[in-house]
Coordinates of all heavy atoms in Angstrom, one line a residue:
N1 N 230.9 202.5 100.8 CA 231.2 203.0 99.4 C 231.3 204.5 99.5 O 230.3 205.2 99.5 CB 230.0 202.6 98.5 CG 230.1 203.2 97.1 OD1 231.1 203.6 96.6 ND2 228.9 203.3 96.5
E2 N 232.5 205.0 99.6 CA 232.7 206.5 99.9 C 232.4 207.3 98.7 O 232.7 207.0 97.5 CB 234.2 206.7 100.3 CG 234.5 208.1 100.7 CD 235.9 208.3 101.1 OE1 236.7 207.3 101.1 OE2 236.3 209.4 101.4
S3 N 231.8 208.5 98.9 CA 231.5 209.5 97.9 C 232.8 210.3 97.7 O 233.6 210.6 98.6 CB 230.4 210.4 98.3 OG 229.2 209.8 98.0
H4 N 233.0 210.7 96.4 CA 234.2 211.5 96.0 C 233.8 212.7 95.2 O 232.8 212.6 94.4 CB 235.2 210.6 95.2 CG 235.6 209.4 95.9 ND1 236.5 209.3 96.9 CD2 235.1 208.1 95.7 CE1 236.7 208.0 97.3 NE2 235.8 207.3 96.6
A5 N 234.5 213.8 95.4 CA 234.3 215.0 94.6 C 232.8 215.4 94.6 O 232.2 215.6 93.5 CB 234.8 214.8 93.1
W6 N 232.3 215.5 95.8 CA 230.9 215.9 96.0 C 229.9 215.0 95.2 O 228.8 215.5 94.8 CB 230.7 217.4 95.6 CG 231.6 218.3 96.3 CD1 231.5 218.7 97.6 CD2 232.8 218.8 95.8 NE1 232.6 219.5 98.0 CE2 233.4 219.6 96.9 CE3 233.5 218.7 94.6 CZ2 234.6 220.2 96.7 CZ3 234.7 219.4 94.5 CH2 235.3 220.1 95.5
G7 N 230.3 213.8 95.0 CA 229.4 212.8 94.3 C 229.6 212.8 92.8 O 229.0 211.9 92.1
I8 N 230.3 213.8 92.2 CA 230.5 213.8 90.8 C 231.2 212.5 90.3 O 230.8 211.9 89.3 CB 231.3 215.1 90.3 CG1 230.5 216.3 90.7 CG2 231.6 215.0 88.9 CD1 231.2 217.6 90.6
D9 N 232.3 212.1 91.0 CA 233.0 210.9 90.7 C 232.1 209.7 90.8 O 232.2 208.8 90.0 CB 234.2 210.8 91.6 CG 235.0 209.6 91.3 OD1 235.7 209.6 90.3 OD2 235.0 208.6 92.1
D10 N 231.2 209.7 91.7 CA 230.3 208.6 91.9 C 229.4 208.4 90.7 O 229.1 207.3 90.2 CB 229.4 208.7 93.2 CG 230.3 208.9 94.4 OD1 231.5 208.4 94.4 OD2 229.8 209.5 95.4
V11 N 228.9 209.5 90.2 CA 228.0 209.5 89.0 C 228.7 209.0 87.8 O 228.3 208.1 87.1 CB 227.4 210.9 88.8 CG1 226.6 210.9 87.4 CG2 226.5 211.3 89.9
I12 N 230.0 209.5 87.7 CA 230.8 209.0 86.6 C 231.1 207.5 86.7 O 231.0 206.7 85.7 CB 232.1 209.8 86.5 CG1 231.8 211.3 86.1 CG2 233.1 209.2 85.5 CD1 233.0 212.2 86.3
S13 N 231.5 207.1 87.9 CA 231.8 205.7 88.2 C 230.5 204.8 87.9 O 230.7 203.7 87.3 CB 232.2 205.4 89.6 OG 233.4 206.0 89.9
S14 N 229.4 205.3 88.3 CA 228.1 204.5 88.1 C 227.9 204.3 86.6 O 227.5 203.2 86.1 CB 226.9 205.2 88.7 OG 227.0 205.2 90.1
A15 N 228.1 205.4 85.8 CA 227.9 205.3 84.4 C 228.9 204.3 83.7 O 228.5 203.5 82.9 CB 228.0 206.7 83.7
I16 N 230.1 204.4 84.2 CA 231.1 203.5 83.7 C 230.7 202.0 84.0 O 230.8 201.1 83.2 CB 232.5 203.8 84.2 CG1 233.0 205.1 83.7 CG2 233.5 202.7 84.0 CD1 234.3 205.7 84.4
Q17 N 230.2 201.8 85.2 CA 229.8 200.5 85.6 C 228.7 200.0 84.8 O 228.6 198.8 84.5 CB 229.5 200.5 87.1 CG 230.7 200.7 88.0 CD 230.4 201.2 89.4 OE1 229.3 201.5 89.7 NE2 231.5 201.2 90.2
M18 N 227.8 200.9 84.4 CA 226.6 200.4 83.6 C 227.0 200.1 82.2 O 226.5 199.2 81.6 CB 225.6 201.6 83.6 CG 224.8 201.6 84.9 SD 223.4 202.8 84.8 CE 224.3 204.3 85.2
Y19 N 228.0 200.8 81.6 CA 228.5 200.6 80.3 C 229.5 199.4 80.2 O 229.4 198.5 79.4 CB 229.0 201.8 79.6 CG 228.0 202.8 79.2 CD1 227.6 203.8 80.0 CD2 227.3 202.6 77.9 CE1 226.5 204.7 79.6 CE2 226.3 203.5 77.5 CZ 225.9 204.5 78.3 OH 224.9 205.3 77.9
A20 N 230.5 199.5 81.1 CA 231.6 198.5 81.1 C 231.2 197.2 81.8 O 231.9 196.2 81.6 CB 232.8 199.1 81.7
K21 N 230.1 197.2 82.6 CA 229.7 196.0 83.4 C 230.8 195.5 84.3 O 231.0 194.3 84.4 CB 229.1 195.0 82.5 CG 227.9 195.4 81.7 CD 227.3 194.3 80.9 CE 226.1 194.8 80.2 NZ 225.4 193.7 79.4
S22 N 231.6 196.4 84.9 CA 232.6 196.1 85.8 C 232.7 197.1 86.9 O 232.5 198.3 86.7 CB 234.0 196.1 85.0 OG 235.0 195.9 86.0
A23 N 232.9 196.6 88.1 CA 233.0 197.6 89.2 C 234.3 197.4 90.0 O 234.4 197.8 91.1 CB 231.8 197.3 90.2
E24 N 235.3 196.9 89.3 CA 236.6 196.7 90.0 C 237.4 198.0 89.9 O 238.4 198.1 89.1 CB 237.3 195.5 89.4 CG 236.6 194.2 89.7 CD 237.4 193.0 89.3 OE1 238.6 193.1 88.8 OE2 236.9 191.9 89.4
D25 N 237.0 199.0 90.7 CA 237.7 200.3 90.7 C 238.3 200.5 92.1 O 238.4 199.6 92.9 CB 236.8 201.4 90.3 CG 235.5 201.5 91.2 OD1 235.5 200.9 92.2 OD2 234.6 202.2 90.8
H26 N 238.7 201.7 92.4 CA 239.3 202.1 93.7 C 238.3 201.8 94.8 O 238.8 201.4 95.9 CB 239.8 203.5 93.7 CG 238.7 204.5 93.4 ND1 238.2 205.3 94.4 CD2 238.2 204.9 92.2 CE1 237.3 206.1 93.8 NE2 237.2 205.9 92.5
D27 N 237.0 202.1 94.7 CA 236.1 201.8 95.8 C 235.9 200.3 96.0 O 235.8 199.9 97.2 CB 234.7 202.5 95.5 CG 234.8 204.0 95.7 OD1 235.4 204.4 96.6 OD2 234.2 204.7 94.8
F28 N 236.0 199.5 95.0 CA 235.9 198.1 95.1 C 237.0 197.6 96.0 O 236.8 196.8 96.9 CB 236.0 197.5 93.7 CG 236.1 196.0 93.6 CD1 235.1 195.2 94.0 CD2 237.3 195.4 93.2 CE1 235.2 193.8 93.9 CE2 237.5 194.0 93.2 CZ 236.4 193.2 93.5
V29 N 238.2 198.1 95.7 CA 239.4 197.7 96.5 C 239.2 198.2 98.0 O 239.5 197.4 98.9 CB 240.7 198.3 95.9 CG1 241.9 198.1 96.8 CG2 241.0 197.8 94.5
D30 N 238.8 199.4 98.2 CA 238.6 199.9 99.5 C 237.5 199.1 100.3 O 237.7 198.8 101.5 CB 238.1 201.4 99.5 CG 239.2 202.3 99.0 OD1 240.4 201.9 99.0 OD2 238.9 203.5 98.7
I31 N 236.4 198.7 99.6 CA 235.4 198.0 100.3 C 235.9 196.6 100.7 O 235.7 196.1 101.8 CB 234.1 197.9 99.4 CG1 233.5 199.2 99.2 CG2 233.1 196.9 100.0 CD1 232.4 199.3 98.1
L32 N 236.6 195.9 99.8 CA 237.1 194.6 100.1 C 238.1 194.7 101.3 O 238.1 193.8 102.2 CB 237.9 194.0 98.9 CG 237.1 193.1 98.0 CD1 237.9 192.6 96.9 CD2 236.5 191.9 98.8
N33 N 238.9 195.7 101.4 CA 239.9 195.8 102.5 C 239.2 196.1 103.8 O 239.6 195.6 104.8 CB 241.0 196.8 102.1 CG 242.0 196.3 101.2 OD1 242.4 195.1 101.3 ND2 242.4 197.1 100.2
Q34 N 238.1 196.9 103.7 CA 237.4 197.2 105.0 C 236.7 196.0 105.5 O 236.8 195.6 106.7 CB 236.2 198.2 104.6 CG 236.5 199.6 104.4 CD 235.2 200.2 103.9 OE1 234.1 200.1 104.5 NE2 235.3 201.0 102.8
V35 N 236.0 195.2 104.6 CA 235.3 194.0 105.0 C 236.3 193.0 105.5 O 235.9 192.3 106.5 CB 234.5 193.5 103.7 CG1 234.0 192.1 104.0 CG2 233.4 194.5 103.4
H36 N 237.4 192.9 104.9 CA 238.4 191.9 105.4 C 238.7 192.1 106.9 O 238.8 191.1 107.7 CB 239.7 192.1 104.6 CG 240.9 191.3 105.2 ND1 240.9 189.9 105.3 CD2 242.0 191.7 105.7 CE1 242.0 189.5 105.8 NE2 242.7 190.6 106.1
G37 N 238.8 193.3 107.3 CA 239.1 193.6 108.7 C 237.9 193.3 109.7 O 238.2 193.0 110.9
D38 N 236.7 193.4 109.2 CA 235.5 193.2 110.1 C 234.8 191.8 110.0 O 234.0 191.5 110.8 CB 234.5 194.3 109.7 CG 235.0 195.7 110.0 OD1 235.8 195.8 110.9 OD2 234.5 196.6 109.4

């Protein structure tokens, strides 16, 4: 789960995930694609 913009984007994403109850964002896609290869 890569950090972006010195962690600022991560804090914003976490808040969105807590309110929207969804984590299907760009990091979600990246994690799935990484895991698929391994």
Side-chain angles (χ1 to χ4, degrees):
N1 171 24
E2 184 177 1
S3 279
H4 306 280
W6 304 282
I8 297 168
D9 181 70
D10 303 334
V11 172
I12 293 169
S13 293
S14 295
I16 291 168
Q17 290 159 352
M18 284 185 275
Y19 282 96
K21 298 186 180 181
S22 173
E24 293 189 3
D25 59 13
H26 57 101
D27 284 320
F28 171 73
V29 174
D30 290 345
I31 292 166
L32 265 179
N33 284 320
Q34 287 170 49
V35 169
H36 169 63
D38 295 334

